[in-house]
Amino acid sequence: SNPKIVTAHHMVGNTYPYTIDTWLNDINLAHSNGIDAFALNIGTDSWQPGQVDNAYQAAQNSGTGFKLFISFDMTVMPCSSAQDASALRDYITRYASHPNQLMYNGNVFASTFAGDTCTFGSDSSVDGWKSQFIDQLTGNNKVHFVPAFFSDPNSFKDFDNVIDGVYNWNSGWPVELTTQTATTLLQPLGGALTPNLNSTVLNNLVGSIQPDDTYLSGLTQMPSDSQTYMAAVSPWFFTHYGPNSFNKNWIYMSNDHLYNRRWETIIANRSSIDIVEIVTWNDYGESHYIGPIEGDQPNSQDWVNGFDHTAWLDMTSYYATAFKTGSFPNITQDKLYLWSRPHPRDATASNDPVGKPQSFQLMEDVVFAVVMAASPCTVTLSTNTSSSQTFNVSSGVTKLSIPITAGGTMYGKIERDGNTVVELDPQFTFDPNPTTYNYNAMVAYATNNQMTTPPVEGTPGNNTSSSSVVSSSSVSSVLVLTPSPSPSSSSSSLSSSLPLSPSPSPPPSPSSSLPPSSSSSLPPSSSSSLPLSSSSSLPPSPSTSPSPSGSPSSQSTPSPSPTQSGSESGTYRFKRLHRRFSQ
């Protein structure tokens, strides 16, 4: 049987300036944090094949056994003619025998973002994928195909002998929660969407197994055996593009320790989940990156620069180990993680023509904390000099949170036997008067034996807490730069135990920037070889249902929106909003 695998979605479209060494750094960093492979999300930019070559070469150079696989972004790759399928097949055959290609059941692993409506010139998408992709890849090129199709799970059976499983992209967030649906859920209870809501009804949807169950039910209807299920986990979601750009301006509810709780759900149900894909490594435009801020941003600097997320990457190995082995590792080093948003939920920006994002009312004004404790300790969290809360924490992982108000800051410390062993005091202020709207998270962490600094640029541990990393006994550590928050509280805990190719080509010059098309349909252009044509399309309104959940990546660079600064030499791919199908 195949081992459990943890992958991360890597947007090739954001890597225009990468060298082999940049890829090597990403691969080593991911590998050291429990990630086994990158899903290389590719689009149609002419320079992307060279970067894919670089990635495979770097993986081989790393000597780690790190794997890669292609994830075709079918929201931008043409798929209306038989000729269009040849570009997809070329990627498969090029890397099928590469030592760092991810293989599954002895075949070349491949995935997509969308694609369930692609016909490749056939009468149906089923016939198109089968005749132009699956049936033409045989022998050493045979694929194990696990796409992210945004169709009714009851239709999966129609793709029998075409797909070998499914990737549930939207399982990473409670995408069914909008301001309207949340209000409907709260009304019978007399509740309302306040900045310090902390609603059990809504928080129970965070990290839920429900979206997985829906897809798993669809897979069981397929006649073929051994269907692979790939689940998503993501820490956050906020995107802020105006109508003159990608026209994407919404959030998904990311409260209540989304990343931790989703991992806990996945681990508790690991017998049904074969692969986990982290969304994402570097999709800056949607604020769910866990890798360093580097490469080319898709005009997202206004809400990304200074908002390092590598603290989420640091906690990943704990959960990845538990998923792969079935046992949580023993915690031998105290760590404190803290995150919050840069301004109050209801603040009014002084100069932001894009406006507040859809569903912003789902956000809470809270500092979230996670404590990884080697032994019992006391944790103090505060958001100003006169407001703090102290928690008695057991060994293992504890999740905490405290409310924050305008002008607040983030601070936390771990104490044991009267001594401060970890202290975290990031430079952060919960700004009551923002210039532009930013619902991204500032994330920081500290340990008790080393200094943690952010890259330059640009349990089930069932204890609940908000975290900010503080300096500590031997060496203090501070990660992440920028803003500051204020408090509210909640806690819970969980302890754990564990057993536990081709030569590269330099990045070519970028293709010319084009404004996004005003159409939301797939571009009809075709190409038959690896240098692919570039195009893009606009996402539908987030309120549209059913339609795709986003994850921008790369393709044509749009004109910057009024709130965006800087120019981009690279290109950006958007992912349309897909609502998870609900029966």
Side-chain angles (χ1 to χ4, degrees):
S1 65
N2 294 288
K4 303 291 184 185
I5 298 171
V6 174
T7 73
H9 202 75
H10 200 300
M11 308 315 227
V12 176
N14 288 344
T15 67
Y16 170 73
Y18 267 39
T19 64
I20 290 178
D21 284 344
T22 318
W23 280 108
L24 182 61
N25 290 339
D26 276 5
I27 286 166
N28 286 334
L29 186 59
H31 180 262
S32 66
N33 284 283
I35 297 170
D36 305 304
F38 280 150
L40 298 179
N41 180 287
I42 60 162
T44 55
D45 286 319
S46 61
W47 54 267
Q48 289 195 30
Q51 285 296 1
V52 174
D53 270 358
N54 287 348
Y56 273 89
Q57 185 63 55
Q60 188 170 6
N61 293 353
S62 74
T64 61
F66 193 84
K67 303 300 182 184
L68 304 169
F69 64 94
I70 302 299
S71 177
F72 300 105
D73 191 332
M74 302 313 300
T75 64
V76 293
M77 298 191 80
C79 60
S80 61
S81 71
Q83 180 75 4
D84 294 335
S86 65
L88 279 62
R89 297 195 304 269
D90 286 347
Y91 272 107
I92 299 299
T93 57
R94 182 171 180 83
Y95 301 108
S97 299
H98 194 283
N100 295 87
Q101 168 63 45
L102 178 64
M103 307 295 288
Y104 204 88
N105 288 342
N107 297 322
V108 180
F109 193 90
S111 187
T112 71
F113 180 83
D116 44 295
T117 61
C118 291
T119 62
F120 299 107
S122 299
D123 292 336
S124 69
S125 57
V126 173
D127 290 342
W129 280 107
K130 182 170 173 35
S131 65
Q132 299 303 319
F133 186 67
I134 300 300
D135 289 350
Q136 296 196 38
L137 294 167
T138 60
N140 292 336
N141 297 322
K142 186 176 181 181
V143 294
H144 189 87
F145 189 41
V146 182
F149 282 173
F150 296 96
S151 53
D152 179 352
N154 289 317
S155 71
F156 291 165
K157 61 182 180 294
D158 298 335
F159 286 88
D160 193 45
N161 295 317
V162 177
I163 64 174
D164 299 291
V166 290
Y167 171 32
N168 190 351
W169 175 274
N170 279 342
S171 62
W173 315 270
V175 299
E176 69 274 25
L177 269 182
T178 62
T179 301
Q180 181 178 354
T181 58
T183 301
T184 300
L185 287 171
L186 293 172
Q187 278 178 344
L189 306 175
L193 285 171
T194 63
N196 299 116
L197 176 61
N198 195 22
S199 165
T200 301
V201 173
L202 300 187
N203 289 344
N204 282 344
L205 296 174
V206 173
S208 169
I209 192 64
Q210 180 183 351
D212 305 283
D213 286 342
T214 304
Y215 269 53
L216 288 166
S217 175
L219 283 177
T220 61
Q221 299 176 41
M222 297 183 68
S224 301
D225 295 330
S226 303
Q227 294 297 330
T228 302
Y229 179 64
M230 185 157 67
V233 59
S234 187
W236 206 257
F237 192 108
F238 162 63
T239 186
H240 195 53
Y241 293 101
N244 65 332
S245 176
F246 294 111
N247 199 23
K248 293 165 53 95
N249 186 30
W250 72 87
I251 65 105
Y252 287 142
M253 181 172 168
S254 306
N255 301 328
D256 206 37
H257 305 88
L258 171 64
Y259 195 55
N260 308 82
R261 291 188 57 191
R262 177 61 181 159
W263 267 117
E264 291 165 10
T265 296
I266 286 170
I267 293 162
N269 295 275
R270 64 187 294 274
S271 61
S272 300
I273 299 170
D274 302 296
I275 303 173
V276 173
E277 187 166 302
I278 299 166
V279 182
T280 59
W281 181 265
N282 64 336
D283 195 341
Y284 310 113
E286 290 182 355
S287 310
H288 43 55
Y289 52 94
I290 65 169
I293 300 169
E294 60 186 351
D296 269 337
Q297 287 192 53
N299 290 330
S300 54
Q301 294 92 330
D302 278 2
W303 63 91
V304 170
N305 284 0
F307 290 80
D308 188 270
H309 287 180
T310 53
W312 281 328
L313 173 63
D314 184 81
M315 66 173 65
T316 296
S317 60
Y318 176 79
Y319 294 105
T321 297
F323 171 68
K324 289 186 280 188
T325 67
S327 300
F328 282 88
N330 290 319
I331 293 173
T332 58
Q333 180 184 60
D334 298 314
K335 292 184 179 183
L336 178 61
Y337 304 83
L338 297 174
W339 65 94
S340 190
R341 300 188 328 277
H343 62 72
R345 186 197 77 172
D346 295 331
T348 298
S350 60
N351 185 24
D352 191 338
V354 176
K356 290 183 178 179
Q358 292 190 32
S359 299
F360 77 92
Q361 298 93 333
L362 296 174
M363 290 295 195
E364 297 176 38
D365 290 348
V366 165
V367 173
F368 294 102
V370 168
V371 182
M372 290 190 178
S375 60
C377 58
T378 299
V379 175
T380 299
L381 303 176
S382 67
T383 56
N384 58 57
T385 55
S386 60
S387 178
S388 66
Q389 296 186 43
T390 299
F391 306 85
N392 292 321
V393 168
S394 60
S395 58
V397 173
T398 300
K399 303 187 296 291
L400 305 171
S401 65
I402 61 173
I404 186 168
T405 56
T409 58
M410 286 197 294
Y411 174 86
K413 64 180 177 180
I414 299 175
E415 295 177 291
R416 188 178 292 112
D417 300 326
N419 299 312
T420 298
V421 295
V422 175
E423 183 176 24
L424 178 59
D425 189 7
Q427 300 304 302
F428 172 89
T429 301
F430 203 50
D431 184 3
N433 301 301
T435 302
T436 59
Y437 292 111
N438 188 350
Y439 290 80
N440 192 4
M442 174 198 172
V443 194
Y445 77 106
T447 68
N448 61 355
N449 67 357
Q450 71 179 47
M451 179 104 164
T452 309
T453 56
V456 181
E457 221 206 281
T459 332
N462 232 350
N463 306 339
T464 305
S465 80
S466 299
S467 65
S468 57
V469 185
V470 195
S471 64
S472 102
S473 43
S474 42
V475 186
S476 66
S477 60
V478 176
L479 217 181
V480 186
L481 329 162
T482 6
S484 141
S486 149
S488 130
S489 111
S490 121
S491 123
S492 93
S493 100
L494 238 170
S495 48
S496 36
S497 65
L498 156 80
L500 213 161
S501 162
S503 59
S505 35
S509 57
S511 53
S512 59
S513 300
L514 298 174
S517 155
S518 60
S519 158
S520 62
S521 59
L522 290 169
S525 63
S526 66
S527 69
S528 60
S529 59
L530 282 179
L532 309 172
S533 62
S534 169
S535 56
S536 80
S537 49
L538 287 173
S541 162
S543 59
T544 304
S545 174
S547 41
S549 132
S551 172
S553 176
S554 87
Q555 242 51 292
S556 307
T557 305
S559 306
S561 75
T563 64
Q564 293 159 3
S565 60
S567 62
E568 291 302 316
S569 60
T571 57
Y572 184 77
R573 173 192 56 72
F574 81 88
K575 288 180 175 174
R576 293 177 296 167
L577 172 65
H578 276 285
R579 293 289 182 203
R580 180 178 58 79
F581 179 86
S582 55
Q583 297 176 328

